[in-house]
Amino acid sequence: MSRHIAVLGGGLTGLSSAFHLSRRFPRARVTLIERQKQLGGWVRSEMIKLPGKDASVVLEAGPRTLRPNANSVLELINLLGLKDQVITVPKTSEAAKSRYLYVPPAYGDSISGLQRIPTSILSALRSPLTRILGPAVLQEVFKFNNKPDGLKDESVDAFLRRRFGDGFAQVFGSALIHGIYAANSRKIGIRSAFPGMWDAAERGWGSLIRGELMPGKKPAQQDYETGDIVQLMSGASVYSFKDGLQALTNALEEHLVKQGNVEILRGATVSSIDIQSAKVEVNLEDGTSLLPSHVTSALPTHLLYRALSPSLRSLKPFDHLLANPTSSVHVVNIVFPGPPSTLHPAGFGYLIPRPPQGYPSTSDEGPSILGTVFDACSLGAQDTTSSGKFGYTDAEFTKLTVMVGGPYPLPKLPSQLSSDNDTGTPDYIQNILKQLSTHLSRTLPAPIYWRIQPNQDCIPTLLPGHGERMTELRSLLAEKFGGRLQVVGAGVGGVSVGDCVEAGRKAALEAPSD
């Protein structure tokens, strides 16, 4: 085993990298290094026994559902034998068809409140959102190419303002970025967040809508070992697993543990990385020193930069590892008594646009909600009850997930992060319940259970120009180190589960064979 590959970071990208590297190089030694005791990064699912109930619920602290458009994930489901764990949400369900915006009163009475996003001409005729959506779409089709000469990237907000107008960018654009990236749409780059939008506008002589009606360049076909999982996903809008998304990372971990060529170091923090002409050295905080032949880093980019030796930091493209800020989010899971029909409309959930006056500078008014997911509508089958019922009108309880923070200042956390010890309901949760009551226009019952999961620096905000910066970094890695150092992960490519899994797969495919 002359080849020794050190994979830094045991989150989803690191697990995927180790999995695919160990498959491609079965005679190589692969060492996966993770500073936490638990692998999987932000993917964390937990089955909670509800107090005083013969029932349990699966709560997610990170991502909760996946779209079936990432073949890299479907491949893992097949290779890891997870088919029987899959739960699909059909495209015909209300969870797939009905998504909402909660528009704050500051936007005016004509559109404020919980509004269903139109998905058909008939629903558009009835929706107050059409006041913004209709003119924006009609003008975009006929608007001339207004991209400034030489512009290579811009913020999502700037792109949408150019093409659809201020109101559309502020209401729809900011809410969308809240839901996916927990970020400020005026900061995140369009080519990183939605590269397909930029490409469509390029095809359509400036118009995104015209470009969507024109055939685009087909991506190079890749072979994925998906088995019959693609057929399983036929007609699915989103999917998850019976035990939550952590079933995926758990299965990856279990597979790696069984491999004779894989070693997993948990609770191990990388302190320094150095690469000389013929030597790669990775040092850990406990004094352990590794001399791998190759390194694949899936660390958060700021942690990787911190670990680089002074000689590596002196190479300018490594400065790009510090270019992007990150968002921190509090994930608040709440379980209420009674079926979802008594608490909220049927659907996936709702997002909230940024305040028209801008984000506050302090958290004096308490936690600011980015959006709420109606988990019971899509993932009720994960839960167990004495009645076995989990439908919209007959379930015994309703679970919601509320996202807090991102571009808003985060409030101080209460001393108790869950209702496990029944020490009362802190102001933080009372504030959340009050906001939910306003959003849903109804008085809410006291929750059966609640918990707060703080996720610090969990999602990178890829600023305009990120693609060019990463191209410079990849060129440096190829020319100076010949593939002995790879840098992958959410801070380099996309932030979705599919992006992270694909990044690990690609790292293995592109690793030098000599």
Side-chain angles (χ1 to χ4, degrees), residues 415-429:
S415 58
Q416 194 74 21
L417 296 183
S418 77
S419 57
D420 287 328
N421 296 328
D422 194 23
T423 56
T425 306
D427 290 344
Y428 184 110
I429 294 296

Side-chain angles (χ1 to χ4, degrees), residues 182-252:
N184 185 343
S185 62
R186 291 173 292 191
K187 293 185 177 181
I188 193 166
I190 184 70
R191 297 192 72 174
S192 297
F194 306 117
M197 288 189 183
W198 179 274
D199 294 341
E202 293 291 288
R203 288 196 308 273
W205 302 289
S207 167
L208 187 157
I209 295 175
R210 287 197 302 264
E212 289 290 353
L213 299 175
M214 301 170 66
K217 182 180 179 182
K218 292 184 178 181
Q221 293 296 313
Q222 297 186 49
D223 292 326
Y224 293 88
E225 298 178 56
T226 55
D228 60 354
I229 305 301
V230 173
Q231 288 72 33
L232 174 68
M233 297 296 176
S234 176
S237 170
V238 295
Y239 68 96
S240 185
F241 303 94
K242 292 177 183 177
D243 296 328
L245 280 188
Q246 193 175 322
L248 179 63
T249 54
N250 285 349
L252 280 166

Side-chain angles (χ1 to χ4, degrees), residues 286-310:
D286 65 1
T288 302
S289 183
L290 304 177
L291 299 175
S293 55
H294 302 79
V295 173
T296 297
S297 174
L299 294 173
T301 53
H302 67 284
L303 295 182
L304 172 59
Y305 182 85
R306 189 185 305 168
L308 294 176
S309 66

Side-chain angles (χ1 to χ4, degrees), residues 281-346:
E281 184 173 2
V282 176
N283 296 307
L284 308 183
E285 283 189 353
D286 65 1
T288 302
S289 183
L290 304 177
L291 299 175
S293 55
H294 302 79
V295 173
T296 297
S297 174
L299 294 173
T301 53
H302 67 284
L303 295 182
L304 172 59
Y305 182 85
R306 189 185 305 168
L308 294 176
S309 66
S311 62
L312 293 179
R313 288 189 203 175
S314 68
L315 302 173
K316 189 173 185 340
F318 278 122
D319 290 345
H320 298 330
L321 296 173
L322 300 178
N324 297 316
T326 55
S327 288
S328 298
V329 177
H330 293 170
V331 177
V332 185
N333 305 113
I334 308 177
V335 183
F336 293 98
S341 59
T342 63
L343 275 82
H344 61 70

